[in-house]
Amino acid sequence: MRRTIRKMSLVRLTDRWAKDSTAKKLPFIADMPLVFLGAIPNKPGHGVFIGHKRGRVYSGHHISKFVELSEDEV
């Protein structure tokens, strides 16, 4: 089942990707959670995000690696 992430929602890495050893090296890991701005139209499956803590823009990351924060996480 494909998850839909709503624009302007707070997101985090999926549990699967957060456990991956390479996740610690991602440029946005210290800026989590991220705000999902939307998909890149000419690069399907990739999105634009803004770090919630530092306000940096991160683009071109796979949308499928993220999930919206639950009400309890917010």
Side-chain angles (χ1 to χ4, degrees):
M1 183 173 93
R2 186 174 178 163
R3 296 178 307 272
T4 301
I5 299 175
R6 296 173 295 167
K7 288 182 180 181
M8 302 304 293
S9 63
L10 291 171
V11 298
R12 62 171 173 79
L13 286 173
T14 63
D15 292 337
R16 176 181 173 208
W17 288 107
K19 293 177 186 175
D20 191 287
S21 62
T22 60
K24 293 176 186 173
K25 298 178 183 176
L26 293 169
F28 53 77
I29 205 70
D31 216 1
M32 298 289 277
L34 303 178
V35 178
F36 176 62
L37 295 183
I40 299 172
N42 55 345
K43 194 171 182 186
H46 297 79
V48 178
F49 304 85
I50 291 182
H52 187 258
K53 294 179 182 174
R54 294 188 266 180
R56 293 184 180 165
V57 177
Y58 305 98
S59 64
H61 295 282
H62 292 270
I63 296 170
S64 63
K65 293 184 179 184
F66 294 90
V67 63
E68 282 188 30
L69 283 141
S70 68
E71 296 241 353
D72 293 333
E73 292 173 302
V74 177

